[in-house]
Amino acid sequence: MKNKKIGVFCSGGDAPGMNAALRAIVRRGIARGLKIIAIHRGYQGIFDEAFEKMTPRSVGNIIQLGGTIIKTARCKRFYEEEGVQEAAEILRKHEFDGLIAIGGDGTFRGLIELKKYWTGQVVGIPGTIDNDIFGTDYTIGFDTAIDTVIQMLDRIRDTAESHQRVFLVEVMGRYSGFIALEVGIGCGAEEVLVPEHVVDLEKVARRVIEAQKREKKSIIIVVAEGVSKNDIFNFSNKLTNQEGLEFQTHISILGHVQRGGSPSALDRWLATRLGSFAVDCILDGDTGIMVGEQNHQLVQVPLEETQKKKSIDTYAFSIIHDLAI
Ligand code: ATP
């Protein structure tokens, strides 16, 4: 029997640990008799036929690198049915037997669409700093990102405490509040605003005043990027003009510094195990799945399931105000 030819690509936002996953796929795959082809720039790379045959040396010295050496992209053409059909045709022409995609829920939606027109195996690996994928406790890149963000929040706290200020700090997370909640807990934020919970900003303003009365020296309000910018700017203005509030209010948008950087030990661990496991699944003939981790165990999750909404930890959310007294 001929060796299976497997394409691997990264798609959506880059995340630290994507390279570690790629390394694991290439080396585990080749060690177990697969032909591994890197597809550059996500789904776009299929249309461009940007294929590179990988060897164990192609992935040398990359486990510690942030970003992705095979590039990633958001590809508009793949949202269209004709685009998916065309991609399937190209994959047939090049005799691919399977694909391993490292990305987020959008990337997995793409795999679900591709499955309608292509009979090759498809396996997804959760790689996104947002940790918003149903079916896996953690996604590759999340641990590194929250560490990076916490370091920045600690610095902001120094300034806030020295000048007695309120800081509204926007953190990444697309439509979810996983980053906001974990960094909020980790830096002792007084408030965490996430899209999953509608918050009464009047109440937040009252709590800020009460905190000042309790002689708190600074207030950090972590805001997930999924919360409306308009609301936040209006809220900041409201605090600035709030009678009885002596603290100045500042907004800080952390932006893309949260994405890059060398992956943490935990992200390397997760990426390496998920990458290897994805290869094992391909060899077992599995398809239409995401590999993930639940309670420290490797699991397979049907791709359709990954499209469900993952809920944030309501217990962690409920203790924030008690911890800010
Ligand atoms: P992250 O959220 O970390 O950025 P993601 O995988 O969710 O990762 P998206 O931009 O949503 O990022 O999706 C990545 C790519 O997957 C898209 O650019 C597109 O090519 C493909 N894709 C997303 N949704 C669909 C869809 N409904 N149908 C076909 N392809 C899709």
mmCIF file of all heavy atoms in Angstrom, residues 9 11-15 18 42-44 47 72-81 84 102-114 127-133 173-175 259 307, ligand 1:
data_model
loop_
_atom_site.group_PDB
_atom_site.id
_atom_site.type_symbol
_atom_site.label_atom_id
_atom_site.label_comp_id
_atom_site.label_asym_id
_atom_site.label_seq_id
_atom_site.Cartn_x
_atom_site.Cartn_y
_atom_site.Cartn_z
ATOM 1 N N PHE A 9 -1.817 22.485 7.441
ATOM 2 C CA PHE A 9 -1.781 23.943 7.311
ATOM 3 C C PHE A 9 -2.297 24.608 8.580
ATOM 4 O O PHE A 9 -2.962 23.989 9.405
ATOM 5 C CB PHE A 9 -2.595 24.403 6.086
ATOM 6 C CG PHE A 9 -4.062 24.090 6.134
ATOM 7 C CD1 PHE A 9 -4.978 25.006 6.621
ATOM 8 C CD2 PHE A 9 -4.539 22.872 5.655
ATOM 9 C CE1 PHE A 9 -6.334 24.719 6.652
ATOM 10 C CE2 PHE A 9 -5.902 22.573 5.684
ATOM 11 C CZ PHE A 9 -6.800 23.500 6.189
ATOM 12 N N SER A 11 -4.468 28.056 9.970
ATOM 13 C CA SER A 11 -5.516 28.915 9.416
ATOM 14 C C SER A 11 -6.129 29.774 10.523
ATOM 15 O O SER A 11 -6.132 29.393 11.683
ATOM 16 C CB SER A 11 -6.559 28.006 8.754
ATOM 17 O OG SER A 11 -7.760 28.649 8.490
ATOM 18 N N GLY A 12 -6.617 30.960 10.143
ATOM 19 C CA GLY A 12 -7.142 31.899 11.154
ATOM 20 C C GLY A 12 -5.988 32.633 11.812
ATOM 21 O O GLY A 12 -4.900 32.750 11.250
ATOM 22 N N GLY A 13 -6.206 33.138 13.010
ATOM 23 C CA GLY A 13 -5.159 33.894 13.703
ATOM 24 C C GLY A 13 -4.005 32.989 14.126
ATOM 25 O O GLY A 13 -4.220 31.833 14.465
ATOM 26 N N ASP A 14 -2.778 33.513 14.073
ATOM 27 C CA ASP A 14 -1.636 32.714 14.532
ATOM 28 C C ASP A 14 -1.705 32.548 16.048
ATOM 29 O O ASP A 14 -2.335 33.345 16.741
ATOM 30 C CB ASP A 14 -0.305 33.369 14.129
ATOM 31 C CG ASP A 14 -0.110 34.700 14.806
ATOM 32 O OD1 ASP A 14 -0.939 35.599 14.562
ATOM 33 O OD2 ASP A 14 0.830 34.860 15.606
ATOM 34 N N ALA A 15 -1.051 31.509 16.546
ATOM 35 C CA ALA A 15 -1.049 31.263 17.995
ATOM 36 C C ALA A 15 0.273 30.608 18.372
ATOM 37 O O ALA A 15 0.762 29.739 17.639
ATOM 38 C CB ALA A 15 -2.216 30.356 18.371
ATOM 39 N N MET A 18 1.813 26.806 17.403
ATOM 40 C CA MET A 18 1.478 26.237 16.091
ATOM 41 C C MET A 18 2.705 25.533 15.508
ATOM 42 O O MET A 18 2.599 24.463 14.900
ATOM 43 C CB MET A 18 0.992 27.330 15.133
ATOM 44 C CG MET A 18 -0.456 27.733 15.367
ATOM 45 S SD MET A 18 -1.029 28.969 14.200
ATOM 46 C CE MET A 18 -2.824 28.748 14.319
ATOM 47 N N GLY A 42 -2.694 28.763 4.925
ATOM 48 C CA GLY A 42 -4.050 28.275 5.184
ATOM 49 C C GLY A 42 -4.763 27.776 3.935
ATOM 50 O O GLY A 42 -4.136 27.248 3.011
ATOM 51 N N TYR A 43 -6.094 27.963 3.921
ATOM 52 C CA TYR A 43 -6.881 27.482 2.770
ATOM 53 C C TYR A 43 -6.426 28.142 1.475
ATOM 54 O O TYR A 43 -6.507 27.559 0.405
ATOM 55 C CB TYR A 43 -8.373 27.768 2.996
ATOM 56 C CG TYR A 43 -9.008 26.844 4.022
ATOM 57 C CD1 TYR A 43 -9.436 27.315 5.259
ATOM 58 C CD2 TYR A 43 -9.182 25.486 3.750
ATOM 59 C CE1 TYR A 43 -10.021 26.469 6.195
ATOM 60 C CE2 TYR A 43 -9.765 24.633 4.679
ATOM 61 C CZ TYR A 43 -10.183 25.131 5.903
ATOM 62 O OH TYR A 43 -10.748 24.284 6.834
ATOM 63 N N GLN A 44 -5.914 29.370 1.573
ATOM 64 C CA GLN A 44 -5.441 30.076 0.377
ATOM 65 C C GLN A 44 -4.331 29.271 -0.318
ATOM 66 O O GLN A 44 -4.242 29.257 -1.544
ATOM 67 C CB GLN A 44 -4.922 31.472 0.773
ATOM 68 C CG GLN A 44 -4.484 32.327 -0.378
ATOM 69 C CD GLN A 44 -5.617 32.568 -1.389
ATOM 70 O OE1 GLN A 44 -6.749 32.835 -1.009
ATOM 71 N NE2 GLN A 44 -5.294 32.453 -2.674
ATOM 72 N N PHE A 47 -5.453 26.863 -3.076
ATOM 73 C CA PHE A 47 -5.688 27.496 -4.389
ATOM 74 C C PHE A 47 -4.370 27.857 -5.066
ATOM 75 O O PHE A 47 -4.220 27.732 -6.281
ATOM 76 C CB PHE A 47 -6.540 28.767 -4.229
ATOM 77 C CG PHE A 47 -7.885 28.484 -3.635
ATOM 78 C CD1 PHE A 47 -8.220 28.958 -2.370
ATOM 79 C CD2 PHE A 47 -8.814 27.728 -4.331
ATOM 80 C CE1 PHE A 47 -9.463 28.697 -1.820
ATOM 81 C CE2 PHE A 47 -10.065 27.447 -3.778
ATOM 82 C CZ PHE A 47 -10.384 27.934 -2.525
ATOM 83 N N THR A 72 -0.131 31.740 8.021
ATOM 84 C CA THR A 72 -1.558 31.465 8.156
ATOM 85 C C THR A 72 -2.308 32.562 7.421
ATOM 86 O O THR A 72 -1.698 33.556 6.996
ATOM 87 C CB THR A 72 -1.963 31.398 9.647
ATOM 88 O OG1 THR A 72 -3.349 31.049 9.750
ATOM 89 C CG2 THR A 72 -1.720 32.705 10.390
ATOM 90 N N ALA A 73 -3.598 32.371 7.219
ATOM 91 C CA ALA A 73 -4.366 33.380 6.476
ATOM 92 C C ALA A 73 -5.850 33.197 6.758
ATOM 93 O O ALA A 73 -6.280 32.170 7.253
ATOM 94 C CB ALA A 73 -4.108 33.233 4.977
ATOM 95 N N ARG A 74 -6.588 34.244 6.444
ATOM 96 C CA ARG A 74 -8.040 34.127 6.384
ATOM 97 C C ARG A 74 -8.373 34.172 4.888
ATOM 98 O O ARG A 74 -7.928 35.085 4.187
ATOM 99 C CB ARG A 74 -8.710 35.264 7.149
ATOM 100 C CG ARG A 74 -8.294 35.288 8.620
ATOM 101 C CD ARG A 74 -9.136 36.234 9.436
ATOM 102 N NE ARG A 74 -8.477 36.567 10.691
ATOM 103 C CZ ARG A 74 -8.565 35.854 11.820
ATOM 104 N NH1 ARG A 74 -9.281 34.753 11.834
ATOM 105 N NH2 ARG A 74 -7.939 36.226 12.908
ATOM 106 N N CYS A 75 -9.077 33.174 4.403
ATOM 107 C CA CYS A 75 -9.267 33.022 2.956
ATOM 108 C C CYS A 75 -10.734 33.187 2.587
ATOM 109 O O CYS A 75 -11.567 32.334 2.895
ATOM 110 C CB CYS A 75 -8.748 31.636 2.550
ATOM 111 S SG CYS A 75 -9.118 31.199 0.857
ATOM 112 N N LYS A 76 -11.046 34.290 1.896
ATOM 113 C CA LYS A 76 -12.443 34.607 1.545
ATOM 114 C C LYS A 76 -13.032 33.562 0.592
ATOM 115 O O LYS A 76 -14.197 33.199 0.690
ATOM 116 C CB LYS A 76 -12.487 35.980 0.862
ATOM 117 C CG LYS A 76 -12.300 37.146 1.826
ATOM 118 C CD LYS A 76 -13.072 38.378 1.342
ATOM 119 C CE LYS A 76 -12.817 39.553 2.267
ATOM 120 N NZ LYS A 76 -11.878 40.525 1.697
ATOM 121 N N ARG A 77 -12.181 33.102 -0.342
ATOM 122 C CA ARG A 77 -12.678 32.199 -1.393
ATOM 123 C C ARG A 77 -13.291 30.929 -0.804
ATOM 124 O O ARG A 77 -14.186 30.318 -1.379
ATOM 125 C CB ARG A 77 -11.486 31.833 -2.279
ATOM 126 C CG ARG A 77 -11.846 31.327 -3.639
ATOM 127 C CD ARG A 77 -10.902 31.960 -4.640
ATOM 128 N NE ARG A 77 -10.460 31.020 -5.661
ATOM 129 C CZ ARG A 77 -9.219 30.990 -6.128
ATOM 130 N NH1 ARG A 77 -8.301 31.779 -5.622
ATOM 131 N NH2 ARG A 77 -8.906 30.156 -7.096
ATOM 132 N N PHE A 78 -12.786 30.530 0.351
ATOM 133 C CA PHE A 78 -13.236 29.269 0.936
ATOM 134 C C PHE A 78 -14.634 29.391 1.547
ATOM 135 O O PHE A 78 -15.272 28.378 1.855
ATOM 136 C CB PHE A 78 -12.226 28.769 1.975
ATOM 137 C CG PHE A 78 -12.122 27.268 2.004
ATOM 138 C CD1 PHE A 78 -11.450 26.581 1.009
ATOM 139 C CD2 PHE A 78 -12.733 26.533 3.012
ATOM 140 C CE1 PHE A 78 -11.385 25.197 1.015
ATOM 141 C CE2 PHE A 78 -12.671 25.147 3.035
ATOM 142 C CZ PHE A 78 -11.998 24.485 2.033
ATOM 143 N N TYR A 79 -15.119 30.607 1.734
ATOM 144 C CA TYR A 79 -16.475 30.786 2.267
ATOM 145 C C TYR A 79 -17.524 30.449 1.203
ATOM 146 O O TYR A 79 -18.679 30.245 1.511
ATOM 147 C CB TYR A 79 -16.689 32.230 2.730
ATOM 148 C CG TYR A 79 -16.031 32.563 4.052
ATOM 149 C CD1 TYR A 79 -14.834 33.271 4.099
ATOM 150 C CD2 TYR A 79 -16.598 32.172 5.258
ATOM 151 C CE1 TYR A 79 -14.227 33.583 5.312
ATOM 152 C CE2 TYR A 79 -16.002 32.485 6.480
ATOM 153 C CZ TYR A 79 -14.815 33.188 6.491
ATOM 154 O OH TYR A 79 -14.216 33.492 7.692
ATOM 155 N N GLU A 80 -17.086 30.448 -0.079
ATOM 156 C CA GLU A 80 -18.036 30.190 -1.165
ATOM 157 C C GLU A 80 -18.017 28.721 -1.550
ATOM 158 O O GLU A 80 -16.945 28.096 -1.600
ATOM 159 C CB GLU A 80 -17.658 31.025 -2.398
ATOM 160 C CG GLU A 80 -17.835 32.519 -2.179
ATOM 161 C CD GLU A 80 -16.932 33.348 -3.069
ATOM 162 O OE1 GLU A 80 -16.431 32.799 -4.090
ATOM 163 O OE2 GLU A 80 -16.696 34.521 -2.728
ATOM 164 N N GLU A 81 -19.216 28.208 -1.870
ATOM 165 C CA GLU A 81 -19.340 26.786 -2.215
ATOM 166 C C GLU A 81 -18.422 26.426 -3.400
ATOM 167 O O GLU A 81 -17.750 25.400 -3.380
ATOM 168 C CB GLU A 81 -20.798 26.506 -2.564
ATOM 169 C CG GLU A 81 -21.183 25.060 -2.382
ATOM 170 C CD GLU A 81 -22.659 24.830 -2.667
ATOM 171 O OE1 GLU A 81 -23.410 25.811 -2.844
ATOM 172 O OE2 GLU A 81 -23.036 23.654 -2.726
ATOM 173 N N VAL A 84 -14.880 25.979 -2.303
ATOM 174 C CA VAL A 84 -14.642 24.698 -1.628
ATOM 175 C C VAL A 84 -14.534 23.575 -2.678
ATOM 176 O O VAL A 84 -13.650 22.713 -2.607
ATOM 177 C CB VAL A 84 -15.783 24.395 -0.615
ATOM 178 C CG1 VAL A 84 -15.565 23.049 0.050
ATOM 179 C CG2 VAL A 84 -15.865 25.501 0.435
ATOM 180 N N ILE A 102 -4.658 23.280 11.565
ATOM 181 C CA ILE A 102 -4.465 23.857 12.907
ATOM 182 C C ILE A 102 -5.120 25.235 12.885
ATOM 183 O O ILE A 102 -4.702 26.114 12.127
ATOM 184 C CB ILE A 102 -2.961 24.001 13.236
ATOM 185 C CG1 ILE A 102 -2.211 22.690 12.978
ATOM 186 C CG2 ILE A 102 -2.767 24.472 14.677
ATOM 187 C CD1 ILE A 102 -0.684 22.830 12.991
ATOM 188 N N GLY A 103 -6.170 25.423 13.677
ATOM 189 C CA GLY A 103 -6.854 26.708 13.650
ATOM 190 C C GLY A 103 -8.002 26.752 14.634
ATOM 191 O O GLY A 103 -8.069 25.951 15.568
ATOM 192 N N GLY A 104 -8.928 27.682 14.387
ATOM 193 C CA GLY A 104 -10.050 27.872 15.290
ATOM 194 C C GLY A 104 -11.348 27.314 14.722
ATOM 195 O O GLY A 104 -11.324 26.533 13.756
ATOM 196 N N ASP A 105 -12.460 27.723 15.296
ATOM 197 C CA ASP A 105 -13.750 27.136 14.894
ATOM 198 C C ASP A 105 -14.102 27.457 13.443
ATOM 199 O O ASP A 105 -14.756 26.647 12.776
ATOM 200 C CB ASP A 105 -14.873 27.538 15.856
ATOM 201 C CG ASP A 105 -15.045 29.042 15.960
ATOM 202 O OD1 ASP A 105 -14.098 29.776 15.611
ATOM 203 O OD2 ASP A 105 -16.126 29.483 16.388
ATOM 204 N N GLY A 106 -13.662 28.620 12.947
ATOM 205 C CA GLY A 106 -13.895 28.946 11.541
ATOM 206 C C GLY A 106 -13.178 27.959 10.629
ATOM 207 O O GLY A 106 -13.730 27.469 9.639
ATOM 208 N N THR A 107 -11.952 27.650 10.995
ATOM 209 C CA THR A 107 -11.155 26.681 10.231
ATOM 210 C C THR A 107 -11.864 25.318 10.210
ATOM 211 O O THR A 107 -11.910 24.646 9.166
ATOM 212 C CB THR A 107 -9.766 26.547 10.892
ATOM 213 O OG1 THR A 107 -9.146 27.840 10.867
ATOM 214 C CG2 THR A 107 -8.899 25.529 10.185
ATOM 215 N N PHE A 108 -12.442 24.943 11.336
ATOM 216 C CA PHE A 108 -13.135 23.642 11.403
ATOM 217 C C PHE A 108 -14.420 23.670 10.588
ATOM 218 O O PHE A 108 -14.812 22.679 9.996
ATOM 219 C CB PHE A 108 -13.429 23.262 12.866
ATOM 220 C CG PHE A 108 -12.186 23.147 13.716
ATOM 221 C CD1 PHE A 108 -12.257 23.248 15.097
ATOM 222 C CD2 PHE A 108 -10.938 22.948 13.140
ATOM 223 C CE1 PHE A 108 -11.110 23.157 15.876
ATOM 224 C CE2 PHE A 108 -9.787 22.855 13.912
ATOM 225 C CZ PHE A 108 -9.876 22.964 15.284
ATOM 226 N N ARG A 109 -15.085 24.822 10.548
ATOM 227 C CA ARG A 109 -16.275 24.972 9.701
ATOM 228 C C ARG A 109 -15.853 24.740 8.249
ATOM 229 O O ARG A 109 -16.552 24.074 7.481
ATOM 230 C CB ARG A 109 -16.863 26.381 9.920
ATOM 231 C CG ARG A 109 -17.878 26.899 8.967
ATOM 232 C CD ARG A 109 -19.124 26.088 8.736
ATOM 233 N NE ARG A 109 -19.806 25.600 9.912
ATOM 234 C CZ ARG A 109 -20.771 24.671 9.896
ATOM 235 N NH1 ARG A 109 -21.165 24.126 8.758
ATOM 236 N NH2 ARG A 109 -21.330 24.265 11.011
ATOM 237 N N GLY A 110 -14.689 25.260 7.871
ATOM 238 C CA GLY A 110 -14.161 25.043 6.517
ATOM 239 C C GLY A 110 -13.970 23.554 6.237
ATOM 240 O O GLY A 110 -14.308 23.060 5.151
ATOM 241 N N LEU A 111 -13.465 22.812 7.223
ATOM 242 C CA LEU A 111 -13.264 21.368 7.027
ATOM 243 C C LEU A 111 -14.608 20.651 6.836
ATOM 244 O O LEU A 111 -14.728 19.726 6.019
ATOM 245 C CB LEU A 111 -12.539 20.752 8.240
ATOM 246 C CG LEU A 111 -11.063 21.123 8.457
ATOM 247 C CD1 LEU A 111 -10.511 20.398 9.678
ATOM 248 C CD2 LEU A 111 -10.210 20.811 7.234
ATOM 249 N N ILE A 112 -15.607 21.095 7.603
ATOM 250 C CA ILE A 112 -16.944 20.486 7.490
ATOM 251 C C ILE A 112 -17.472 20.692 6.058
ATOM 252 O O ILE A 112 -18.029 19.784 5.450
ATOM 253 C CB ILE A 112 -17.914 21.111 8.529
ATOM 254 C CG1 ILE A 112 -17.491 20.714 9.948
ATOM 255 C CG2 ILE A 112 -19.352 20.699 8.258
ATOM 256 C CD1 ILE A 112 -18.206 21.478 11.072
ATOM 257 N N GLU A 113 -17.263 21.901 5.538
ATOM 258 C CA GLU A 113 -17.714 22.191 4.164
ATOM 259 C C GLU A 113 -16.938 21.344 3.157
ATOM 260 O O GLU A 113 -17.511 20.770 2.231
ATOM 261 C CB GLU A 113 -17.522 23.685 3.832
ATOM 262 C CG GLU A 113 -18.349 24.637 4.666
ATOM 263 C CD GLU A 113 -19.835 24.335 4.576
ATOM 264 O OE1 GLU A 113 -20.338 24.113 3.451
ATOM 265 O OE2 GLU A 113 -20.492 24.294 5.642
ATOM 266 N N LEU A 114 -15.633 21.239 3.364
ATOM 267 C CA LEU A 114 -14.778 20.493 2.428
ATOM 268 C C LEU A 114 -15.187 19.017 2.351
ATOM 269 O O LEU A 114 -15.165 18.406 1.279
ATOM 270 C CB LEU A 114 -13.312 20.622 2.877
ATOM 271 C CG LEU A 114 -12.271 19.891 2.036
ATOM 272 C CD1 LEU A 114 -12.239 20.440 0.602
ATOM 273 C CD2 LEU A 114 -10.883 20.014 2.675
ATOM 274 N N GLY A 127 -5.988 25.469 17.520
ATOM 275 C CA GLY A 127 -4.876 26.408 17.668
ATOM 276 C C GLY A 127 -5.409 27.821 17.590
ATOM 277 O O GLY A 127 -5.697 28.326 16.506
ATOM 278 N N THR A 128 -5.620 28.435 18.724
ATOM 279 C CA THR A 128 -6.081 29.829 18.796
ATOM 280 C C THR A 128 -5.843 30.332 20.207
ATOM 281 O O THR A 128 -6.036 29.581 21.162
ATOM 282 C CB THR A 128 -7.577 29.973 18.430
ATOM 283 O OG1 THR A 128 -8.045 31.259 18.889
ATOM 284 C CG2 THR A 128 -8.451 28.916 19.068
ATOM 285 N N ILE A 129 -5.452 31.601 20.322
ATOM 286 C CA ILE A 129 -5.219 32.124 21.678
ATOM 287 C C ILE A 129 -6.534 32.305 22.431
ATOM 288 O O ILE A 129 -6.535 32.459 23.644
ATOM 289 C CB ILE A 129 -4.436 33.463 21.669
ATOM 290 C CG1 ILE A 129 -5.231 34.574 20.980
ATOM 291 C CG2 ILE A 129 -3.057 33.288 21.042
ATOM 292 C CD1 ILE A 129 -4.673 35.969 21.257
ATOM 293 N N ASP A 130 -7.673 32.256 21.705
ATOM 294 C CA ASP A 130 -8.952 32.627 22.322
ATOM 295 C C ASP A 130 -9.549 31.560 23.246
ATOM 296 O O ASP A 130 -10.415 31.869 24.056
ATOM 297 C CB ASP A 130 -9.985 32.964 21.241
ATOM 298 C CG ASP A 130 -9.507 34.069 20.316
ATOM 299 O OD1 ASP A 130 -8.674 34.878 20.749
ATOM 300 O OD2 ASP A 130 -9.956 34.111 19.156
ATOM 301 N N ASN A 131 -9.128 30.332 23.122
ATOM 302 C CA ASN A 131 -9.654 29.194 23.902
ATOM 303 C C ASN A 131 -11.166 29.056 23.786
ATOM 304 O O ASN A 131 -11.832 28.599 24.718
ATOM 305 C CB ASN A 131 -9.260 29.307 25.383
ATOM 306 C CG ASN A 131 -9.331 27.954 26.072
ATOM 307 O OD1 ASN A 131 -9.163 26.919 25.442
ATOM 308 N ND2 ASN A 131 -9.611 27.935 27.368
ATOM 309 N N ASP A 132 -11.727 29.428 22.648
ATOM 310 C CA ASP A 132 -13.187 29.454 22.525
ATOM 311 C C ASP A 132 -13.733 28.246 21.767
ATOM 312 O O ASP A 132 -14.795 28.319 21.159
ATOM 313 C CB ASP A 132 -13.609 30.761 21.821
ATOM 314 C CG ASP A 132 -12.953 30.905 20.450
ATOM 315 O OD1 ASP A 132 -12.009 30.135 20.138
ATOM 316 O OD2 ASP A 132 -13.372 31.789 19.685
ATOM 317 N N ILE A 133 -13.015 27.138 21.795
ATOM 318 C CA ILE A 133 -13.467 25.988 21.010
ATOM 319 C C ILE A 133 -14.107 24.931 21.904
ATOM 320 O O ILE A 133 -13.478 24.429 22.844
ATOM 321 C CB ILE A 133 -12.307 25.393 20.189
ATOM 322 C CG1 ILE A 133 -11.797 26.478 19.244
ATOM 323 C CG2 ILE A 133 -12.771 24.166 19.416
ATOM 324 C CD1 ILE A 133 -10.710 26.044 18.343
ATOM 325 N N GLY A 173 -9.699 38.072 22.298
ATOM 326 C CA GLY A 173 -10.631 36.977 22.604
ATOM 327 C C GLY A 173 -11.762 36.854 21.596
ATOM 328 O O GLY A 173 -12.650 36.038 21.751
ATOM 329 N N ARG A 174 -11.721 37.692 20.557
ATOM 330 C CA ARG A 174 -12.791 37.745 19.546
ATOM 331 C C ARG A 174 -14.159 37.819 20.213
ATOM 332 O O ARG A 174 -14.404 38.744 20.944
ATOM 333 C CB ARG A 174 -12.678 36.565 18.577
ATOM 334 C CG ARG A 174 -11.463 36.730 17.661
ATOM 335 C CD ARG A 174 -11.498 35.827 16.479
ATOM 336 N NE ARG A 174 -11.979 36.488 15.277
ATOM 337 C CZ ARG A 174 -12.190 35.858 14.127
ATOM 338 N NH1 ARG A 174 -11.983 34.562 14.011
ATOM 339 N NH2 ARG A 174 -12.604 36.520 13.070
ATOM 340 N N TYR A 175 -15.018 36.825 20.053
ATOM 341 C CA TYR A 175 -16.388 36.964 20.578
ATOM 342 C C TYR A 175 -16.549 36.337 21.959
ATOM 343 O O TYR A 175 -17.645 36.146 22.436
ATOM 344 C CB TYR A 175 -17.377 36.325 19.598
ATOM 345 C CG TYR A 175 -17.122 36.756 18.176
ATOM 346 C CD1 TYR A 175 -16.608 35.867 17.232
ATOM 347 C CD2 TYR A 175 -17.363 38.081 17.796
ATOM 348 C CE1 TYR A 175 -16.333 36.291 15.933
ATOM 349 C CE2 TYR A 175 -17.099 38.503 16.503
ATOM 350 C CZ TYR A 175 -16.584 37.603 15.575
ATOM 351 O OH TYR A 175 -16.314 38.019 14.308
ATOM 352 N N ARG A 259 -0.475 38.212 20.844
ATOM 353 C CA ARG A 259 -0.530 37.022 19.997
ATOM 354 C C ARG A 259 0.779 36.243 19.903
ATOM 355 O O ARG A 259 0.783 35.028 19.865
ATOM 356 C CB ARG A 259 -0.880 37.444 18.570
ATOM 357 C CG ARG A 259 -2.321 37.607 18.290
ATOM 358 C CD ARG A 259 -2.887 36.331 17.680
ATOM 359 N NE ARG A 259 -4.230 36.560 17.206
ATOM 360 C CZ ARG A 259 -4.522 37.049 16.001
ATOM 361 N NH1 ARG A 259 -3.562 37.341 15.148
ATOM 362 N NH2 ARG A 259 -5.761 37.239 15.658
ATOM 363 N N GLN A 307 -18.643 23.320 16.790
ATOM 364 C CA GLN A 307 -19.317 24.559 16.418
ATOM 365 C C GLN A 307 -20.272 25.041 17.512
ATOM 366 O O GLN A 307 -20.868 26.107 17.404
ATOM 367 C CB GLN A 307 -20.078 24.370 15.093
ATOM 368 C CG GLN A 307 -19.188 23.914 13.932
ATOM 369 C CD GLN A 307 -18.113 24.936 13.591
ATOM 370 O OE1 GLN A 307 -18.406 26.054 13.212
ATOM 371 N NE2 GLN A 307 -16.846 24.550 13.725
HETATM 372 P P1 ATP B 1 -9.240 32.360 15.127
HETATM 373 O O1 ATP B 1 -10.591 32.570 15.711
HETATM 374 O O2 ATP B 1 -8.235 31.961 16.110
HETATM 375 O O3 ATP B 1 -8.742 33.489 14.287
HETATM 376 P P2 ATP B 1 -10.559 30.715 13.148
HETATM 377 O O4 ATP B 1 -10.200 29.455 12.475
HETATM 378 O O5 ATP B 1 -11.890 30.729 13.872
HETATM 379 O O6 ATP B 1 -9.351 31.105 14.114
HETATM 380 P P3 ATP B 1 -11.602 32.321 10.976
HETATM 381 O O7 ATP B 1 -11.073 33.549 10.349
HETATM 382 O O8 ATP B 1 -12.990 32.332 11.516
HETATM 383 O O9 ATP B 1 -10.543 31.924 12.106
HETATM 384 O O10 ATP B 1 -11.527 31.109 9.927
HETATM 385 C C1 ATP B 1 -10.330 30.803 9.246
HETATM 386 C C2 ATP B 1 -10.619 30.474 7.811
HETATM 387 O O11 ATP B 1 -11.454 29.298 7.756
HETATM 388 C C3 ATP B 1 -11.413 31.527 7.053
HETATM 389 O O12 ATP B 1 -10.597 32.575 6.582
HETATM 390 C C4 ATP B 1 -11.997 30.707 5.919
HETATM 391 O O13 ATP B 1 -11.046 30.478 4.912
HETATM 392 C C5 ATP B 1 -12.305 29.385 6.626
HETATM 393 N N1 ATP B 1 -13.723 29.403 7.054
HETATM 394 C C6 ATP B 1 -14.227 30.003 8.143
HETATM 395 N N2 ATP B 1 -15.578 29.875 8.192
HETATM 396 C C7 ATP B 1 -15.926 29.191 7.077
HETATM 397 C C8 ATP B 1 -17.172 28.758 6.528
HETATM 398 N N3 ATP B 1 -18.334 29.001 7.121
HETATM 399 N N4 ATP B 1 -17.145 28.074 5.362
HETATM 400 C C9 ATP B 1 -15.972 27.810 4.736
HETATM 401 N N5 ATP B 1 -14.760 28.213 5.214
HETATM 402 C C10 ATP B 1 -14.738 28.884 6.350
#
